[in-house]
Amino acid sequence: MSVGELFNPRSIALVGATDKSGWSISTLANLRAHGFPGPVHLVNPRGGVVHGQAAYRSLTEVPERVDLAYVMVPTAAVLGVLREGAKLGIRCYVILTAGFGEAGEEGARLEAEIAAFAAENGLTILGPNGNGYINAAAGVTPYGLPIPQPLLRGAVGVVLQSGALASSVLGFAQARNVGVSLLTSMGNESVVTVTDVIDYLVDDPATRVIALFLETIRNPAEFSRVARRALEAGKPIVALKIGRSKLASHTAQAHTGALVGDDDVIDAALRQLGVIRVRSLEDLIITAGLLASSGPLPGRRVGVVTPSGGASEIIADRAEDEGLELPPFAPETVARLAEIVPSFGTVQNPLDVTGYVLIDRTLLGRALEAVTADPGIDLIMLLSEPPKVAPPDPAPVLATYAASAGRIAASPVPVVVVSNVLTDVTEFGRRVQAETGFPYVAGGIEHGLQAIGAAVRWSEQRERVLSRPAAPLPRSVAPPDGASGVWAEHRAAALLAAAGLPVVPSELARDESAAVAAAERFGSPVVLKAAAEGLGHKSDVGGVRLGLGGAEEVRQAYREIVAAVPSLDGVLVQPQRHGGIELLVGVVRDPAWGLTLAVGLGGVWVEVLRDTALRVLPVDAGEVRTALTELRGAALLDGVRGAEPADLDAVAGVVARVAAFAESLGDRLESLEINPLLVSGPRVEALDALITWR
């Protein structure tokens, strides 16, 4: 299968061309209007004249070689076209026709036949049920809907699992002066998939950023592979993934299952892969446009130059939301700005140069030049935008924007230009940008700051991933014989301890005297816990007693647990631990992405706070440490009100070992949970555990 040949044909046949079809009319008009250099042959079973040119009755009648067949025939006739084309050596197809897998059982059967035929004959098929593609970089536009004018050529490759939205996305990209290299409407992905197109775009020299609209991720392993390729190549992927669901439990017993929902796992996986997730079509295009223009951004310290005090306040609020810093300007920068900004202005970051820009047209540019030299700034946010209406004499306007473009190009740090609000870039605005080199303008403060924050996070994640060695593969451990159902603490903790993981000491007592003897060996106070097969939440059924001191207290607690919990295997006796921070460490199997780690505040706070960070396995200690810093309660680990701070490296090391051990147990494992994992300074110890086998 050659996706490259699909997107770069030298000749095209429109099969099913007819004057009665808007798709047929639009597809031919697009090819003619946007400079396709090769021949376009029309095929209609009746022959005659279609769209003003002679039509052939079949592909066999076409006298020249056909590189791409664009298929618009009825559903039942599609396979016949493929058979005829395969005999003629045609390897690439776009199938516009609907009525396949999306239409029910019979359609799914027909689509399976097409996929099987393609595999047998080495065919490359985009669709069915898709509008085609727009290879703007090469001027190849076999696309079934009208293409808004002008078609802007640029560096953003767009891949959409939606035909209806493709034209809207293209129109918005044009409105914001974002050029595309390739836009693909995927259809049903019976042969060519989203990941195939991403693979192509990673290697495509015309593409610098990849924008995705995803309804589903069909093959997580393959998606992970191509996302890593893009990250290594320095090509950001921006994704709008729809279908966020309510949190769903994968296992009834463990807390972890209730904390890990389908969309939470996808969110974690995308972050680990360096994929920027956005929430709107507007952010998809604006963020992709920014990254195509700026590339990686070097840090979070932003200097802001704007002619508006109100805008400065909005920017300050939104920058904090995005985790961006607005540090004070260096003394030398302040001194220089004081000579530039009017006396009634205030020199600070964000910098409001005041409305005096209407009198002194050089004010904004001179202030920008001063801020770009500040040693404590990683990047500049400049509030500006292209002009909308052409004046009678555009020369002064062009000169002003050319001067600004020169200052921006000469800046030692990246300058990101953002407009006040999200409006269209007009034809005159595009002309000004094209003729002066004035850079891409992110539309609106809201979308612009979100795009800057996303670009900074992508840059940081790429650096982390590329500098971090791959997580070592865990040694495979066969599950114990007869492992099934739910293993409560006495069996789960024993398995963890046997693997060398830190677990609180415990003894299983089967009568009162054994419990008292164990308590004496540990020293008071001790904890007694019910030990029963399949028993998950012991405290919910009265199966836990804390702070037991003397022999009589232990005996009484033993009797109470036996009375409260039937079918006991015995009672666990443990030394009681005090102080520290209680964490939850859970691994649960996601049906699509596999084993997923959840780490967060544990103990009684699990259901109340639901403060967890997720990672798809495998992970190393560095990734776990990053996850710990994402918790809302991360400050607790740093030590508050005199408490001893946790050794984060020790915690991350233990959690990474737990994750590797869970992986080593293979496909039989459904979930493994430690709650709590007690952290007190350098000491890290599991106090309770639960394992569920598939």
Side-chain angles (χ1 to χ4, degrees):
M1 183 173 70
S2 174
V3 177
E5 292 179 11
L6 171 72
F7 292 137
N8 294 278
R10 291 166 296 179
S11 62
I12 297 174
L14 304 186
V15 184
T18 170
D19 290 324
K20 298 177 181 179
S21 168
W23 285 290
S24 180
I25 293 168
S26 294
T27 305
L28 181 60
N30 291 334
L31 290 167
R32 287 173 172 171
H34 298 291
F36 178 63
V40 179
H41 306 288
L42 305 185
V43 177
N44 183 295
R46 294 184 177 85
V49 175
V50 177
H51 307 325
Q53 73 179 65
Y56 301 99
R57 286 176 293 180
S58 67
L59 282 169
T60 305
E61 287 189 3
V62 177
E64 303 176 53
R65 173 185 173 86
V66 172
D67 291 331
L68 173 68
Y70 190 90
V71 182
M72 301 175 283
V73 301
T75 306
V78 170
L79 188 56
V81 172
L82 299 182
R83 287 175 174 149
E84 180 187 15
K87 290 178 181 177
L88 297 170
I90 303 172
R91 295 288 171 241
C92 297
Y93 299 81
V94 172
I95 301 178
L96 176 81
T97 309
F100 290 92
E102 80 285 358
E105 186 176 337
E106 177 61 18
R109 184 187 65 78
L110 293 173
E111 186 171 328
E113 288 184 4
I114 286 174
F117 184 81
E120 291 168 6
N121 293 274
L123 306 185
T124 302
I125 298 175
L126 180 64
N129 187 35
N131 288 325
Y133 67 84
I134 299 168
N135 186 347
V140 184
T141 54
Y143 182 74
L145 295 172
I147 297 175
Q149 296 291 344
L151 175 58
L152 302 179
R153 291 169 171 81
V156 178
V158 184
V159 188
L160 303 109
Q161 288 178 327
S162 170
L165 288 179
S167 293
S168 297
V169 168
L170 187 64
F172 182 72
Q174 173 195 315
R176 290 306 313 161
N177 205 23
V178 175
V180 301
S181 55
L182 175 76
L183 182 143
T184 307
S185 171
M186 294 305 305
N188 292 4
E189 300 182 60
S190 64
V191 178
V192 175
T193 65
V194 164
T195 52
D196 294 326
V197 181
I198 296 173
D199 246 341
Y200 170 82
L201 292 172
V202 170
D203 296 326
D204 177 28
T207 301
R208 290 199 292 270
V209 179
I210 300 166
L212 308 177
F213 174 83
L214 299 175
E215 294 173 341
T216 184
I217 298 176
R218 302 180 191 277
N219 186 330
E222 185 67 6
F223 184 87
S224 297
R225 181 189 67 80
V226 297
R228 288 191 184 98
R229 280 198 69 218
L231 197 65
E232 291 168 0
K235 294 191 176 184
I237 296 178
V238 185
L240 172 57
K241 169 65 179 72
I242 61 169
R244 285 181 285 160
S245 61
K246 294 181 179 179
L247 294 176
S249 176
H250 298 307
T251 171
Q253 291 289 334
H255 289 104
T256 309
L259 295 170
V260 178
D262 296 340
D263 194 68
D264 300 299
V265 176
I266 290 170
D267 213 43
L270 294 182
R271 282 199 309 274
Q272 285 173 256
L273 294 168
V275 176
I276 300 166
R277 189 174 186 184
V278 295
R279 301 297 187 188
S280 70
L281 292 171
E282 292 84 357
D283 283 321
L284 179 69
I285 295 303
I286 291 170
T287 304
L290 170 61
L291 280 159
S293 172
S294 71
L297 296 178
R300 293 176 173 263
R301 299 175 301 173
V302 182
V304 178
V305 180
T306 167
S308 167
S312 297
E313 294 166 356
I314 297 172
I315 291 167
D317 287 345
R318 285 294 289 116
E320 184 173 302
D321 296 339
E322 294 295 331
L324 301 171
E325 302 170 19
L326 304 180
F329 292 132
E332 57 268 31
T333 305
V334 173
R336 188 175 174 189
L337 287 171
E339 298 174 355
I340 298 171
V341 176
S343 59
F344 51 84
T346 302
V347 176
Q348 62 183 16
N349 188 21
L351 176 65
D352 171 19
V353 300
T354 77
Y356 203 72
V357 291
L358 297 175
I359 298 173
D360 181 356
R361 298 289 184 179
T362 70
L363 176 56
L364 192 65
R366 290 186 293 123
L368 171 65
E369 197 169 28
V371 175
T372 61
D374 191 293
I377 297 297
D378 296 317
L379 64 108
I380 309 295
M381 176 179 171
L382 173 65
L383 217 62
S384 182
E385 60 185 305
K388 297 190 177 302
V389 180
D393 179 11
V397 174
L398 292 170
T400 298
Y401 277 87
S404 295
R407 286 190 176 97
I408 291 170
S411 170
V413 296
V415 177
V416 177
V417 185
V418 179
S419 60
N420 277 308
V421 294
L422 180 57
T423 56
D424 291 356
V425 178
T426 65
E427 183 178 351
F428 181 61
R430 285 197 297 271
R431 175 191 165 188
V432 169
Q433 287 187 278
E435 294 185 13
T436 67
F438 194 77
Y440 170 77
V441 179
I445 294 172
E446 169 68 26
H447 298 288
L449 273 166
Q450 186 157 314
I452 293 171
V456 167
R457 290 188 291 274
W458 175 81
S459 304
E460 292 173 344
Q461 178 67 359
R462 180 170 187 262
E463 186 174 338
R464 280 196 297 266
V465 171
L466 297 185
S467 64
R468 183 179 294 157
L473 293 175
R475 179 176 58 87
S476 180
V477 177
D481 292 339
S484 63
V486 178
W487 277 20
E489 180 180 1
H490 63 296
R491 298 182 73 185
L495 186 62
L496 293 173
L501 294 165
V503 178
V504 65
S506 64
E507 290 188 25
L508 181 63
R510 300 188 184 277
D511 56 45
E512 293 179 23
S513 298
V516 170
E520 289 175 349
R521 284 190 288 273
F522 288 131
S524 61
V526 295
V527 177
L528 264 60
K529 301 177 182 177
E533 197 69 35
L535 180 61
H537 303 310
K538 298 178 286 293
S539 58
D540 292 348
V541 293
V544 178
R545 295 294 184 275
L546 305 174
L548 304 174
E552 188 53 41
E553 287 187 18
V554 172
R555 290 182 184 279
Q556 180 63 30
Y558 187 97
R559 296 187 197 108
E560 291 173 355
I561 291 175
V562 169
V565 184
S567 304
L568 278 177
D569 295 327
V571 173
L572 276 179
V573 184
Q574 298 173 343
Q576 182 159 329
R577 302 302 195 205
H578 297 282
I581 302 297
E582 294 185 343
L583 296 180
L584 163 81
V585 178
V587 177
V588 66
R589 186 174 301 279
D590 180 82
W593 293 88
L595 292 178
T596 302
L597 170 72
V599 57
L601 294 183
V604 298
W605 301 111
V606 173
E607 292 96 343
V608 177
L609 297 181
R610 305 181 70 87
D611 184 12
T612 57
L614 304 184
R615 292 295 187 272
V616 175
L617 300 190
V619 295
D620 62 10
E623 187 66 38
V624 174
R625 203 180 195 285
T626 301
L628 290 169
T629 64
E630 296 171 3
L631 299 175
R632 296 192 303 275
L636 294 173
L637 295 169
D638 296 332
V640 293
R641 299 202 174 190
E644 184 180 13
D647 183 338
L648 288 181
D649 289 332
V651 178
V654 169
V655 174
R657 286 166 55 199
V658 171
F661 177 66
E663 284 187 282
S664 75
L665 294 173
D667 294 340
R668 293 281 302 282
L669 181 71
E670 177 65 29
S671 70
L672 182 158
E673 180 175 288
I674 297 173
N675 183 33
L677 181 74
L678 185 66
V679 178
S680 181
R683 189 182 72 187
V684 183
E685 191 176 42
L687 301 191
D688 201 345
L690 187 72
I691 294 176
T692 304
W693 302 100
R694 299 176 79 182

